[in-house]
Amino acid sequence: MEEIEAKQDERYMQAAIDAAGIAEENGDVPTGAVVVYKGQIIGRAYNQREQLKDPTAHAEIIALTQAAAFLESWRLGGCTIYVTLEPCAMCAGALVLGRLDRLVYGCDDPKAGACGSLYNIVQDERLNHRLEITAGVLADECTALLSNFFQQKRNKQ
């Protein structure tokens, strides 16, 4: 059973990685997210901060909005979100508020991660909801995406 779940996690994380590639093509930090409900992707997004000139246009926020529209509810119980990079405080808060069941992410974010690295908002017992976390799914691929993006930015400067 665990092996089947691990394979599913990798499949959906690959979809998030594919979405992150679009962010990179648009000059944004390559982070992607997909929301899955009953085996179906109901939200798929990538960072669009540069494109939209919006500090809240993170992949997670956009994917959550799509999922809520699909379910016609802000309550996203039964959903799992797959994100290439550990969510920040804003996104972690949105995951709690959306009542998702589970968060799966690729690589840790030691500078802004709020799901275990700096904080653990999604499992804070003081809040009214907590998510199950699975970290490190396709971590090498997710890390490489970010490392390559920032290396290219440094080389251009």
Side-chain angles (χ1 to χ4, degrees), residues 79-125:
C79 291
T80 297
I81 188 165
Y82 294 82
V83 188
T84 56
L85 178 64
E86 178 185 358
C88 69
M90 174 183 69
C91 294
L95 298 178
V96 171
L97 293 172
R99 313 284 199 278
L100 284 85
D101 288 354
R102 187 166 172 245
L103 161 66
V104 180
Y105 70 85
C107 58
D108 293 334
D109 185 349
K111 293 183 178 181
C115 300
S117 290
L118 294 179
Y119 312 100
N120 193 349
I121 292 170
V122 298
Q123 292 185 328
D124 190 320
E125 292 184 6

mmCIF file of all heavy atoms in Angstrom, residues 79-125:
data_model
loop_
_atom_site.group_PDB
_atom_site.id
_atom_site.type_symbol
_atom_site.label_atom_id
_atom_site.label_comp_id
_atom_site.label_asym_id
_atom_site.label_seq_id
_atom_site.Cartn_x
_atom_site.Cartn_y
_atom_site.Cartn_z
ATOM 1 N N CYS A 79 -8.694 16.740 -0.045
ATOM 2 C CA CYS A 79 -7.708 17.142 -1.053
ATOM 3 C C CYS A 79 -6.281 17.016 -0.525
ATOM 4 O O CYS A 79 -6.023 17.191 0.662
ATOM 5 C CB CYS A 79 -7.927 18.588 -1.466
ATOM 6 S SG CYS A 79 -9.442 18.874 -2.399
ATOM 7 N N THR A 80 -5.387 16.733 -1.457
ATOM 8 C CA THR A 80 -3.952 16.743 -1.216
ATOM 9 C C THR A 80 -3.344 17.757 -2.169
ATOM 10 O O THR A 80 -3.714 17.800 -3.341
ATOM 11 C CB THR A 80 -3.332 15.354 -1.482
ATOM 12 O OG1 THR A 80 -3.891 14.411 -0.569
ATOM 13 C CG2 THR A 80 -1.815 15.375 -1.320
ATOM 14 N N ILE A 81 -2.420 18.575 -1.652
ATOM 15 C CA ILE A 81 -1.691 19.498 -2.516
ATOM 16 C C ILE A 81 -0.253 19.020 -2.639
ATOM 17 O O ILE A 81 0.355 18.591 -1.655
ATOM 18 C CB ILE A 81 -1.754 20.958 -2.013
ATOM 19 C CG1 ILE A 81 -1.149 21.901 -3.075
ATOM 20 C CG2 ILE A 81 -1.112 21.114 -0.648
ATOM 21 C CD1 ILE A 81 -1.481 23.366 -2.861
ATOM 22 N N TYR A 82 0.247 19.038 -3.859
ATOM 23 C CA TYR A 82 1.630 18.678 -4.188
ATOM 24 C C TYR A 82 2.329 19.953 -4.624
ATOM 25 O O TYR A 82 1.857 20.641 -5.537
ATOM 26 C CB TYR A 82 1.665 17.656 -5.320
ATOM 27 C CG TYR A 82 1.072 16.329 -4.930
ATOM 28 C CD1 TYR A 82 -0.301 16.115 -4.955
ATOM 29 C CD2 TYR A 82 1.894 15.290 -4.491
ATOM 30 C CE1 TYR A 82 -0.855 14.905 -4.566
ATOM 31 C CE2 TYR A 82 1.349 14.072 -4.093
ATOM 32 C CZ TYR A 82 -0.023 13.885 -4.139
ATOM 33 O OH TYR A 82 -0.568 12.693 -3.740
ATOM 34 N N VAL A 83 3.429 20.279 -3.956
ATOM 35 C CA VAL A 83 4.153 21.517 -4.241
ATOM 36 C C VAL A 83 5.639 21.186 -4.371
ATOM 37 O O VAL A 83 6.181 20.421 -3.578
ATOM 38 C CB VAL A 83 3.959 22.556 -3.116
ATOM 39 C CG1 VAL A 83 4.557 23.886 -3.512
ATOM 40 C CG2 VAL A 83 2.499 22.707 -2.756
ATOM 41 N N THR A 84 6.296 21.791 -5.333
ATOM 42 C CA THR A 84 7.709 21.491 -5.561
ATOM 43 C C THR A 84 8.605 22.021 -4.451
ATOM 44 O O THR A 84 9.665 21.460 -4.190
ATOM 45 C CB THR A 84 8.167 22.063 -6.915
ATOM 46 O OG1 THR A 84 7.893 23.467 -6.957
ATOM 47 C CG2 THR A 84 7.455 21.358 -8.066
ATOM 48 N N LEU A 85 8.178 23.097 -3.795
ATOM 49 C CA LEU A 85 8.973 23.742 -2.746
ATOM 50 C C LEU A 85 8.119 23.878 -1.490
ATOM 51 O O LEU A 85 6.944 24.234 -1.575
ATOM 52 C CB LEU A 85 9.424 25.131 -3.221
ATOM 53 C CG LEU A 85 10.226 25.996 -2.264
ATOM 54 C CD1 LEU A 85 11.578 25.358 -1.938
ATOM 55 C CD2 LEU A 85 10.423 27.388 -2.865
ATOM 56 N N GLU A 86 8.717 23.635 -0.340
ATOM 57 C CA GLU A 86 8.013 23.794 0.935
ATOM 58 C C GLU A 86 7.300 25.143 0.988
ATOM 59 O O GLU A 86 7.913 26.184 0.743
ATOM 60 C CB GLU A 86 9.023 23.695 2.076
ATOM 61 C CG GLU A 86 8.440 23.890 3.439
ATOM 62 C CD GLU A 86 9.496 23.896 4.540
ATOM 63 O OE1 GLU A 86 10.707 23.714 4.237
ATOM 64 O OE2 GLU A 86 9.112 24.103 5.705
ATOM 65 N N PRO A 87 6.016 25.144 1.287
ATOM 66 C CA PRO A 87 5.259 26.398 1.309
ATOM 67 C C PRO A 87 5.752 27.417 2.336
ATOM 68 O O PRO A 87 6.237 27.065 3.413
ATOM 69 C CB PRO A 87 3.835 25.947 1.644
ATOM 70 C CG PRO A 87 3.763 24.548 1.116
ATOM 71 C CD PRO A 87 5.132 23.978 1.412
ATOM 72 N N CYS A 88 5.575 28.694 1.980
ATOM 73 C CA CYS A 88 5.906 29.819 2.860
ATOM 74 C C CYS A 88 4.784 29.992 3.887
ATOM 75 O O CYS A 88 3.775 29.279 3.854
ATOM 76 C CB CYS A 88 6.064 31.089 2.028
ATOM 77 S SG CYS A 88 4.510 31.703 1.321
ATOM 78 N N ALA A 89 4.930 30.975 4.761
ATOM 79 C CA ALA A 89 3.930 31.214 5.807
ATOM 80 C C ALA A 89 2.557 31.555 5.219
ATOM 81 O O ALA A 89 1.530 31.065 5.704
ATOM 82 C CB ALA A 89 4.414 32.321 6.733
ATOM 83 N N MET A 90 2.529 32.396 4.182
ATOM 84 C CA MET A 90 1.251 32.763 3.570
ATOM 85 C C MET A 90 0.540 31.527 3.028
ATOM 86 O O MET A 90 -0.652 31.308 3.285
ATOM 87 C CB MET A 90 1.474 33.764 2.433
ATOM 88 C CG MET A 90 0.206 34.093 1.651
ATOM 89 S SD MET A 90 0.466 35.199 0.257
ATOM 90 C CE MET A 90 1.395 34.162 -0.876
ATOM 91 N N CYS A 91 1.270 30.718 2.279
ATOM 92 C CA CYS A 91 0.670 29.549 1.653
ATOM 93 C C CYS A 91 0.309 28.481 2.683
ATOM 94 O O CYS A 91 -0.739 27.841 2.581
ATOM 95 C CB CYS A 91 1.607 28.992 0.584
ATOM 96 S SG CYS A 91 1.816 30.133 -0.805
ATOM 97 N N ALA A 92 1.154 28.298 3.681
ATOM 98 C CA ALA A 92 0.856 27.333 4.751
ATOM 99 C C ALA A 92 -0.426 27.740 5.467
ATOM 100 O O ALA A 92 -1.283 26.900 5.754
ATOM 101 C CB ALA A 92 2.024 27.246 5.725
ATOM 102 N N GLY A 93 -0.581 29.033 5.734
ATOM 103 C CA GLY A 93 -1.805 29.518 6.357
ATOM 104 C C GLY A 93 -3.022 29.243 5.493
ATOM 105 O O GLY A 93 -4.077 28.837 5.986
ATOM 106 N N ALA A 94 -2.885 29.436 4.185
ATOM 107 C CA ALA A 94 -3.991 29.170 3.264
ATOM 108 C C ALA A 94 -4.351 27.680 3.249
ATOM 109 O O ALA A 94 -5.528 27.329 3.153
ATOM 110 C CB ALA A 94 -3.634 29.648 1.858
ATOM 111 N N LEU A 95 -3.355 26.809 3.368
ATOM 112 C CA LEU A 95 -3.626 25.370 3.406
ATOM 113 C C LEU A 95 -4.437 25.008 4.640
ATOM 114 O O LEU A 95 -5.370 24.195 4.578
ATOM 115 C CB LEU A 95 -2.329 24.575 3.374
ATOM 116 C CG LEU A 95 -1.452 24.735 2.131
ATOM 117 C CD1 LEU A 95 -0.167 23.926 2.276
ATOM 118 C CD2 LEU A 95 -2.193 24.349 0.876
ATOM 119 N N VAL A 96 -4.087 25.596 5.774
ATOM 120 C CA VAL A 96 -4.836 25.356 7.016
ATOM 121 C C VAL A 96 -6.258 25.888 6.864
ATOM 122 O O VAL A 96 -7.227 25.194 7.177
ATOM 123 C CB VAL A 96 -4.125 26.001 8.226
ATOM 124 C CG1 VAL A 96 -5.003 25.945 9.472
ATOM 125 C CG2 VAL A 96 -2.789 25.311 8.494
ATOM 126 N N LEU A 97 -6.394 27.120 6.380
ATOM 127 C CA LEU A 97 -7.715 27.724 6.233
ATOM 128 C C LEU A 97 -8.591 26.951 5.249
ATOM 129 O O LEU A 97 -9.806 26.893 5.415
ATOM 130 C CB LEU A 97 -7.586 29.181 5.798
ATOM 131 C CG LEU A 97 -6.971 30.111 6.840
ATOM 132 C CD1 LEU A 97 -6.722 31.485 6.235
ATOM 133 C CD2 LEU A 97 -7.843 30.205 8.074
ATOM 134 N N GLY A 98 -7.967 26.348 4.236
ATOM 135 C CA GLY A 98 -8.705 25.561 3.248
ATOM 136 C C GLY A 98 -9.055 24.158 3.713
ATOM 137 O O GLY A 98 -9.773 23.441 3.039
ATOM 138 N N ARG A 99 -8.530 23.757 4.852
ATOM 139 C CA ARG A 99 -8.845 22.453 5.457
ATOM 140 C C ARG A 99 -8.435 21.253 4.602
ATOM 141 O O ARG A 99 -9.089 20.222 4.610
ATOM 142 C CB ARG A 99 -10.337 22.319 5.775
ATOM 143 C CG ARG A 99 -10.999 23.475 6.489
ATOM 144 C CD ARG A 99 -10.648 23.530 7.957
ATOM 145 N NE ARG A 99 -11.581 24.315 8.736
ATOM 146 C CZ ARG A 99 -11.571 25.640 8.856
ATOM 147 N NH1 ARG A 99 -10.688 26.364 8.196
ATOM 148 N NH2 ARG A 99 -12.442 26.258 9.625
ATOM 149 N N LEU A 100 -7.331 21.395 3.854
ATOM 150 C CA LEU A 100 -6.843 20.262 3.075
ATOM 151 C C LEU A 100 -6.419 19.145 4.018
ATOM 152 O O LEU A 100 -6.060 19.390 5.176
ATOM 153 C CB LEU A 100 -5.658 20.672 2.197
ATOM 154 C CG LEU A 100 -6.027 21.472 0.948
ATOM 155 C CD1 LEU A 100 -6.149 22.940 1.258
ATOM 156 C CD2 LEU A 100 -5.034 21.225 -0.148
ATOM 157 N N ASP A 101 -6.415 17.924 3.515
ATOM 158 C CA ASP A 101 -6.008 16.781 4.333
ATOM 159 C C ASP A 101 -4.499 16.619 4.393
ATOM 160 O O ASP A 101 -3.954 16.234 5.422
ATOM 161 C CB ASP A 101 -6.600 15.470 3.776
ATOM 162 C CG ASP A 101 -8.093 15.354 4.000
ATOM 163 O OD1 ASP A 101 -8.693 16.214 4.678
ATOM 164 O OD2 ASP A 101 -8.674 14.381 3.468
ATOM 165 N N ARG A 102 -3.848 16.908 3.262
ATOM 166 C CA ARG A 102 -2.454 16.487 3.151
ATOM 167 C C ARG A 102 -1.663 17.455 2.293
ATOM 168 O O ARG A 102 -2.164 18.002 1.314
ATOM 169 C CB ARG A 102 -2.439 15.088 2.535
ATOM 170 C CG ARG A 102 -1.124 14.402 2.492
ATOM 171 C CD ARG A 102 -1.335 12.900 2.187
ATOM 172 N NE ARG A 102 -0.056 12.301 1.972
ATOM 173 C CZ ARG A 102 0.366 11.787 0.826
ATOM 174 N NH1 ARG A 102 -0.420 11.740 -0.224
ATOM 175 N NH2 ARG A 102 1.573 11.278 0.721
ATOM 176 N N LEU A 103 -0.395 17.626 2.671
ATOM 177 C CA LEU A 103 0.591 18.395 1.910
ATOM 178 C C LEU A 103 1.740 17.468 1.554
ATOM 179 O O LEU A 103 2.275 16.791 2.429
ATOM 180 C CB LEU A 103 1.116 19.559 2.753
ATOM 181 C CG LEU A 103 2.453 20.191 2.317
ATOM 182 C CD1 LEU A 103 2.310 20.871 0.962
ATOM 183 C CD2 LEU A 103 2.951 21.156 3.380
ATOM 184 N N VAL A 104 2.102 17.446 0.283
ATOM 185 C CA VAL A 104 3.270 16.718 -0.185
ATOM 186 C C VAL A 104 4.156 17.739 -0.880
ATOM 187 O O VAL A 104 3.697 18.444 -1.778
ATOM 188 C CB VAL A 104 2.888 15.589 -1.184
ATOM 189 C CG1 VAL A 104 4.130 14.849 -1.667
ATOM 190 C CG2 VAL A 104 1.887 14.625 -0.553
ATOM 191 N N TYR A 105 5.402 17.852 -0.430
ATOM 192 C CA TYR A 105 6.294 18.800 -1.103
ATOM 193 C C TYR A 105 7.619 18.157 -1.441
ATOM 194 O O TYR A 105 8.006 17.141 -0.884
ATOM 195 C CB TYR A 105 6.445 20.106 -0.323
ATOM 196 C CG TYR A 105 7.216 20.053 0.969
ATOM 197 C CD1 TYR A 105 8.605 20.158 0.977
ATOM 198 C CD2 TYR A 105 6.560 19.948 2.189
ATOM 199 C CE1 TYR A 105 9.319 20.151 2.164
ATOM 200 C CE2 TYR A 105 7.266 19.940 3.382
ATOM 201 C CZ TYR A 105 8.641 20.046 3.362
ATOM 202 O OH TYR A 105 9.350 20.036 4.534
ATOM 203 N N GLY A 106 8.297 18.797 -2.408
ATOM 204 C CA GLY A 106 9.548 18.261 -2.924
ATOM 205 C C GLY A 106 10.746 18.611 -2.065
ATOM 206 O O GLY A 106 11.289 17.760 -1.370
ATOM 207 N N CYS A 107 11.166 19.867 -2.084
ATOM 208 C CA CYS A 107 12.372 20.240 -1.354
ATOM 209 C C CYS A 107 12.067 21.253 -0.260
ATOM 210 O O CYS A 107 11.120 22.029 -0.348
ATOM 211 C CB CYS A 107 13.454 20.749 -2.303
ATOM 212 S SG CYS A 107 13.019 22.169 -3.311
ATOM 213 N N ASP A 108 12.897 21.203 0.776
ATOM 214 C CA ASP A 108 12.780 22.135 1.892
ATOM 215 C C ASP A 108 13.165 23.538 1.444
ATOM 216 O O ASP A 108 13.939 23.718 0.509
ATOM 217 C CB ASP A 108 13.725 21.727 3.034
ATOM 218 C CG ASP A 108 13.332 20.417 3.682
ATOM 219 O OD1 ASP A 108 12.141 20.044 3.638
ATOM 220 O OD2 ASP A 108 14.221 19.755 4.261
ATOM 221 N N ASP A 109 12.622 24.525 2.153
ATOM 222 C CA ASP A 109 12.996 25.914 1.921
ATOM 223 C C ASP A 109 13.543 26.474 3.236
ATOM 224 O O ASP A 109 12.787 26.964 4.074
ATOM 225 C CB ASP A 109 11.795 26.732 1.464
ATOM 226 C CG ASP A 109 12.154 28.157 1.087
ATOM 227 O OD1 ASP A 109 13.302 28.580 1.377
ATOM 228 O OD2 ASP A 109 11.301 28.849 0.509
ATOM 229 N N PRO A 110 14.862 26.383 3.426
ATOM 230 C CA PRO A 110 15.446 26.808 4.704
ATOM 231 C C PRO A 110 15.332 28.303 4.980
ATOM 232 O O PRO A 110 15.473 28.727 6.125
ATOM 233 C CB PRO A 110 16.916 26.390 4.586
ATOM 234 C CG PRO A 110 17.171 26.224 3.131
ATOM 235 C CD PRO A 110 15.861 25.857 2.499
ATOM 236 N N LYS A 111 15.025 29.112 3.964
ATOM 237 C CA LYS A 111 14.927 30.563 4.155
ATOM 238 C C LYS A 111 13.494 31.045 4.393
ATOM 239 O O LYS A 111 13.291 32.108 4.964
ATOM 240 C CB LYS A 111 15.518 31.304 2.960
ATOM 241 C CG LYS A 111 17.015 31.104 2.834
ATOM 242 C CD LYS A 111 17.584 31.906 1.700
ATOM 243 C CE LYS A 111 19.098 31.711 1.645
ATOM 244 N NZ LYS A 111 19.698 32.486 0.572
ATOM 245 N N ALA A 112 12.505 30.295 3.916
ATOM 246 C CA ALA A 112 11.124 30.768 4.046
ATOM 247 C C ALA A 112 10.117 29.656 4.329
ATOM 248 O O ALA A 112 8.914 29.911 4.387
ATOM 249 C CB ALA A 112 10.713 31.519 2.783
ATOM 250 N N GLY A 113 10.563 28.428 4.494
ATOM 251 C CA GLY A 113 9.658 27.300 4.674
ATOM 252 C C GLY A 113 8.880 27.361 5.977
ATOM 253 O O GLY A 113 9.457 27.542 7.041
ATOM 254 N N ALA A 114 7.569 27.185 5.873
ATOM 255 C CA ALA A 114 6.710 27.269 7.053
ATOM 256 C C ALA A 114 5.962 25.966 7.310
ATOM 257 O O ALA A 114 4.892 25.957 7.906
ATOM 258 C CB ALA A 114 5.740 28.428 6.896
ATOM 259 N N CYS A 115 6.555 24.858 6.848
ATOM 260 C CA CYS A 115 5.951 23.545 7.056
ATOM 261 C C CYS A 115 6.984 22.587 7.640
ATOM 262 O O CYS A 115 6.987 21.386 7.363
ATOM 263 C CB CYS A 115 5.389 23.008 5.744
ATOM 264 S SG CYS A 115 4.118 24.092 5.043
ATOM 265 N N GLY A 116 7.906 23.142 8.419
ATOM 266 C CA GLY A 116 8.920 22.330 9.068
ATOM 267 C C GLY A 116 10.281 22.981 9.155
ATOM 268 O O GLY A 116 11.012 22.757 10.103
ATOM 269 N N SER A 117 10.646 23.806 8.184
ATOM 270 C CA SER A 117 11.986 24.394 8.181
ATOM 271 C C SER A 117 12.126 25.527 9.192
ATOM 272 O O SER A 117 12.930 25.441 10.112
ATOM 273 C CB SER A 117 12.362 24.889 6.786
ATOM 274 O OG SER A 117 12.577 23.784 5.926
ATOM 275 N N LEU A 118 11.375 26.616 9.015
ATOM 276 C CA LEU A 118 11.421 27.746 9.956
ATOM 277 C C LEU A 118 10.286 27.667 10.965
ATOM 278 O O LEU A 118 10.464 27.993 12.131
ATOM 279 C CB LEU A 118 11.321 29.075 9.209
ATOM 280 C CG LEU A 118 12.473 29.442 8.297
ATOM 281 C CD1 LEU A 118 12.199 30.777 7.618
ATOM 282 C CD2 LEU A 118 13.778 29.514 9.070
ATOM 283 N N TYR A 119 9.120 27.299 10.477
ATOM 284 C CA TYR A 119 7.905 27.149 11.273
ATOM 285 C C TYR A 119 7.244 25.853 10.837
ATOM 286 O O TYR A 119 7.651 25.245 9.862
ATOM 287 C CB TYR A 119 6.914 28.305 11.008
ATOM 288 C CG TYR A 119 7.526 29.672 11.060
ATOM 289 C CD1 TYR A 119 7.865 30.345 9.894
ATOM 290 C CD2 TYR A 119 7.761 30.299 12.281
ATOM 291 C CE1 TYR A 119 8.423 31.619 9.934
ATOM 292 C CE2 TYR A 119 8.321 31.573 12.332
ATOM 293 C CZ TYR A 119 8.648 32.221 11.159
ATOM 294 O OH TYR A 119 9.194 33.468 11.206
ATOM 295 N N ASN A 120 6.184 25.479 11.539
ATOM 296 C CA ASN A 120 5.366 24.374 11.064
ATOM 297 C C ASN A 120 3.902 24.755 11.262
ATOM 298 O O ASN A 120 3.208 24.216 12.123
ATOM 299 C CB ASN A 120 5.699 23.056 11.765
ATOM 300 C CG ASN A 120 5.072 21.883 11.035
ATOM 301 O OD1 ASN A 120 4.240 22.057 10.152
ATOM 302 N ND2 ASN A 120 5.464 20.684 11.412
ATOM 303 N N ILE A 121 3.471 25.706 10.464
ATOM 304 C CA ILE A 121 2.119 26.237 10.563
ATOM 305 C C ILE A 121 1.076 25.154 10.310
ATOM 306 O O ILE A 121 0.063 25.103 11.004
ATOM 307 C CB ILE A 121 1.948 27.429 9.599
ATOM 308 C CG1 ILE A 121 2.809 28.606 10.083
ATOM 309 C CG2 ILE A 121 0.479 27.834 9.466
ATOM 310 C CD1 ILE A 121 2.918 29.753 9.114
ATOM 311 N N VAL A 122 1.327 24.278 9.354
ATOM 312 C CA VAL A 122 0.303 23.299 8.969
ATOM 313 C C VAL A 122 0.090 22.202 10.015
ATOM 314 O O VAL A 122 -0.880 21.455 9.924
ATOM 315 C CB VAL A 122 0.578 22.675 7.582
ATOM 316 C CG1 VAL A 122 0.561 23.734 6.497
ATOM 317 C CG2 VAL A 122 1.862 21.885 7.567
ATOM 318 N N GLN A 123 0.960 22.135 11.010
ATOM 319 C CA GLN A 123 0.768 21.152 12.074
ATOM 320 C C GLN A 123 0.771 21.787 13.464
ATOM 321 O O GLN A 123 0.901 21.099 14.463
ATOM 322 C CB GLN A 123 1.838 20.058 11.985
ATOM 323 C CG GLN A 123 1.678 19.202 10.748
ATOM 324 C CD GLN A 123 2.660 18.049 10.700
ATOM 325 O OE1 GLN A 123 3.781 18.133 11.180
ATOM 326 N NE2 GLN A 123 2.225 16.955 10.092
ATOM 327 N N ASP A 124 0.578 23.088 13.515
ATOM 328 C CA ASP A 124 0.559 23.801 14.785
ATOM 329 C C ASP A 124 -0.712 23.434 15.551
ATOM 330 O O ASP A 124 -1.823 23.683 15.078
ATOM 331 C CB ASP A 124 0.614 25.310 14.530
ATOM 332 C CG ASP A 124 0.843 26.112 15.792
ATOM 333 O OD1 ASP A 124 0.262 25.773 16.851
ATOM 334 O OD2 ASP A 124 1.601 27.099 15.733
ATOM 335 N N GLU A 125 -0.550 22.849 16.713
ATOM 336 C CA GLU A 125 -1.692 22.369 17.500
ATOM 337 C C GLU A 125 -2.571 23.491 18.030
ATOM 338 O O GLU A 125 -3.696 23.254 18.468
ATOM 339 C CB GLU A 125 -1.207 21.470 18.631
ATOM 340 C CG GLU A 125 -0.631 20.171 18.112
ATOM 341 C CD GLU A 125 -0.226 19.206 19.208
ATOM 342 O OE1 GLU A 125 -0.495 19.484 20.391
ATOM 343 O OE2 GLU A 125 0.363 18.168 18.858
#
